[in-house]
Amino acid sequence: MNHRYKMEGERLYSIGEAAKICGISRATLLRLEEAGFDKPIKINPESGRRYYDVLNIMKIQRYLALKRLGVSQKDILNYYKGNLDKEAFLEDIRERLDIAQRCVDEFESCFTERESITYTFYELPEVTCYCFVCPIKNIKEQVEYNYKEIQNMYDMGFKPASTTPMFCVIPNLDDVYDGIDRKPYSSVICMSIRPDAIPDEEKVVHFKSRRAFSLLYHGDRDYIMENGGRMLLEEMKKHNLTPAGPLFGINVVGVFFGNEIEPDDYVFRFAIPVE
């Protein structure tokens, strides 16, 4: 059934005009039509010229907005055809928005030209990881150890996911306080991996999404690695927040992001699940 309203004085746009309004090429409009996304309101049967109306253009703009969010063309087409798992589609959009918001918060911190500390509630994302234990001694030895383990992960066929930075987990919060005195302890290093490429391996761990309290820090690497966990725990006490899980140390911008990162320009997020 056609629910289209008849518009008085309706203006139709050529394919070139429609493409210019939408900020895309004529070829892209033709490919969308070929894929079954949308047809022009009118096609001249003799010349083959295509004409678009306002509703065509608004639908194309909606398509482009979903593409900017990273939604696949297949899912967008299925959405308009009614062949989509609605809950899965919504969950995918929510996850993309969560990732975008995390990036906004973290880059705002990164682009600050001074040391910054921000405490906030934070949603730890659901993620599947390749995990290994790293005995913490000093930063140089830790980086070298992690580097070799990550190489091993690649060699085993794991494919990294870009949605979550590398992070560590310290299961025993008492160790966080002991760390002030430089007491050696071990942390679990976690590398997010794509779920479509997970060999049968005991080092694979799945983390569920959890609400947490977090500290987002931009500044000196050595200082935050030694003190960040303790600072977060002390802030939680001030707000009467009860820890409900281990400490997560998320390496937002740091040693594994390239040689150009200066030691006083790191960004870390520490997070602890709360009840």
Side-chain angles (χ1 to χ4, degrees):
M1 183 181 296
N2 188 353
H3 298 285
R4 177 180 169 77
Y5 293 102
K6 181 66 177 178
M7 303 293 180
E8 293 294 333
E10 184 173 32
R11 160 97 150 86
L12 298 183
Y13 302 86
S14 69
I15 187 171
E17 290 173 323
K20 184 176 181 179
I21 291 170
C22 295
I24 56 178
S25 67
R26 296 171 74 258
T28 298
L29 278 179
L30 291 173
R31 284 197 295 269
L32 286 176
E33 181 183 342
E34 184 179 350
F37 171 69
D38 196 23
K39 290 185 178 180
I41 187 65
K42 179 181 177 181
I43 300 178
N44 187 308
E46 296 181 0
S47 65
R49 291 180 178 175
R50 287 159 164 74
Y51 297 93
Y52 299 79
D53 66 358
V54 168
L55 296 182
N56 282 136
I57 291 172
M58 293 184 71
K59 186 176 179 181
I60 293 165
Q61 289 174 325
R62 179 69 168 172
Y63 169 88
L64 295 174
L66 291 170
K67 285 292 288 182
R68 288 192 69 180
L69 284 174
V71 181
S72 70
Q73 184 181 78
K74 179 181 178 182
D75 281 348
I76 297 174
L77 293 177
N78 284 333
Y79 164 73
Y80 279 102
K81 293 177 181 178
N83 300 327
L84 190 70
D85 183 331
K86 296 178 181 178
E87 287 301 318
F89 181 75
L90 284 173
E91 184 60 33
D92 181 53
I93 296 293
R94 291 190 190 102
E95 181 180 350
R96 293 177 188 278
L97 289 175
D98 287 343
I99 293 170
Q101 186 59 57
R102 293 205 309 269
C103 287
V104 168
D105 294 341
E106 291 161 357
F107 279 115
E108 278 185 349
S109 175
C110 181
F111 296 155
T112 300
E113 294 182 357
R114 62 186 186 278
E115 182 184 59
S116 64
I117 300 174
T118 304
Y119 294 99
T120 184
F121 285 100
Y122 174 78
E123 194 74 19
L124 286 165
E126 183 170 359
V127 63
T128 300
C129 294
Y130 174 88
C131 302
F132 56 91
V133 175
C134 175
I136 297 177
K137 295 179 181 177
N138 60 58
I139 294 174
K140 182 177 183 298
E141 290 182 5
Q142 183 188 46
V143 169
E144 291 176 350
Y145 187 94
N146 293 348
Y147 196 97
K148 292 176 181 177
E149 277 287 348
I150 294 170
Q151 286 184 149
N152 183 54
M153 181 190 81
Y154 296 156
D155 292 342
M156 292 173 65
F158 290 94
K159 296 180 180 179
S162 60
T163 54
T164 305
M166 181 180 75
F167 63 94
C168 70
V169 176
I170 300 176
N172 187 354
L173 294 181
D174 289 337
D175 286 339
V176 177
Y177 283 107
D178 291 339
I180 302 171
D181 301 321
R182 303 178 185 274
K183 176 181 178 181
Y185 59 91
S186 294
S187 63
V188 180
I189 306 300
C190 306
M191 298 289 299
S192 60
I193 52 178
R194 285 167 37 190
D196 60 342
I198 300 178
D200 185 15
E201 169 61 45
E202 61 180 11
K203 291 185 176 181
V204 173
V205 178
H206 185 76
F207 295 89
K208 294 183 178 180
S209 176
R210 301 181 69 179
R211 184 170 181 264
F213 192 66
S214 81
L215 177 162
L216 183 62
Y217 175 87
H218 171 233
D220 182 71
R221 173 194 64 193
D222 296 351
Y223 173 79
I224 197 59
M225 289 183 70
E226 292 180 9
N227 299 286
R230 174 184 56 81
M231 292 163 58
L232 178 58
L233 283 169
E234 290 179 350
E235 188 70 17
M236 291 177 68
K237 285 184 179 180
K238 294 179 185 178
H239 295 279
N240 296 316
L241 296 172
T242 302
L247 172 71
F248 289 78
I250 303 169
N251 187 27
V252 179
V253 176
V255 64
F256 287 99
F257 284 76
N259 296 327
E260 68 276 10
I261 306 299
E262 297 293 334
D264 61 352
D265 201 26
Y266 277 39
V267 179
F268 280 82
R269 184 189 292 277
F270 288 92
I272 297 177
V274 292
E275 293 181 349

